[in-house]
Amino acid sequence: MAGTVLTGVSFLQKGRGKDLLFLHGYLSSKEAFTAQIDYFSRFYRVTAIDFLGFGQSAPLESAFSVEDYADWLLALFPALHLKKPHVIAHSFGVRVAVKAAAKYAGELDKLVLTGPAGVIINRGFKYKMRVKTYRLVKKIAPAFAERKFGSAEYRTLSNIMKESYKKIVNEDLREQAKRVQNQVLIVQGKTDATTTEQEARIYLQSFPNARLAHIDGAHFAFAENPLAFNLLAEEFLYD
């Protein structure tokens, strides 16, 4: 089934065998995993979804946190006939996978996490001053503050999505990661400046059972270098 919609959720299912679930990054969609879906659907029953607010799924009606997305995801399992799937997640999808694995122990199998978002690095003086300035300006001229201080990504969002974004990016998940008992493979793009090597290594130290691998490429290294990524993931999932 391609491009199917279930209760406002756009999803794709392809192949037969053990379930393998794909979770995309922020402002992305299930199509980001096209090379992986084509490859892994030869061995697995692949499911790829668009999170609410992204791709072809329905918009958010309230500001979701990471936990809200995790709860929403697990609530879809019966309708999608998902049974303890392996997970391949990118960036924001990593946040949801970590939260879901920590909260719903036993519902997910092995996790392949790439561009691993969810760790907040100690923010320096310049960042803190910018936040203080933003809050001051927002009281006086909120529209100007949004245009001046928000990131390019942030400025494209609806008001509900902006509130959701704030909840998402301000949560550090390393304590959640400590509760994840799943086997985890972290695949880090060697030139990823969005989620850095430092963040990947913090996750590596936080998960009880994880390993770290590197491939050429930046934040979307899985799409830039699909053969290397697919082979790493295949070996890990098969092992």
Side-chain angles (χ1 to χ4, degrees), residues 76-225:
L76 288 177
F77 275 27
L80 294 174
H81 306 289
L82 291 172
K83 296 180 180 178
K84 199 173 182 178
H86 293 318
V87 175
I88 295 179
H90 173 238
S91 196
F92 165 64
V94 170
R95 296 178 190 265
V96 178
V98 171
K99 180 72 79 168
K103 185 172 182 179
Y104 297 97
E107 293 297 322
L108 305 178
D109 205 337
K110 294 182 179 180
L111 309 179
V112 179
L113 310 178
T114 185
V119 172
I120 298 176
I121 304 298
N122 185 34
R123 290 163 171 172
F125 176 76
K126 286 181 67 176
Y127 173 85
K128 292 175 182 177
M129 287 302 298
R130 184 173 176 83
V131 170
K132 287 183 178 180
T133 304
Y134 162 73
R135 289 173 177 167
L136 177 62
V137 174
K138 188 177 180 181
K139 292 179 181 179
I140 304 168
F144 175 78
E146 294 294 329
R147 292 196 306 271
K148 179 67 176 177
F149 292 92
S151 67
E153 180 180 68
Y154 180 77
R155 289 195 296 270
T156 66
L157 304 175
S158 68
N159 289 335
I160 287 177
M161 290 292 284
K162 285 177 180 176
E163 292 306 310
S164 177
Y165 182 87
K166 291 174 188 176
K167 292 182 179 183
I168 290 164
V169 301
N170 287 315
E171 182 175 8
D172 189 303
L173 294 173
R174 70 186 81 189
E175 290 301 318
Q176 301 286 322
K178 292 176 182 178
R179 294 163 45 196
V180 172
Q181 297 302 312
N182 310 62
Q183 294 183 57
V184 177
L185 173 65
I186 302 167
V187 182
Q188 178 70 8
K190 294 178 182 177
T191 57
D192 189 349
T194 303
T195 51
T196 64
E197 177 76 10
Q198 183 182 4
E199 292 165 78
R201 291 196 173 275
I202 289 172
Y203 260 139
L204 179 65
Q205 294 166 5
S206 299
F207 289 120
N209 186 7
R211 66 186 83 165
L212 173 64
H214 295 83
I215 60 174
D216 291 334
H219 192 52
F220 283 81
F222 69 95
E224 298 169 41
N225 199 356

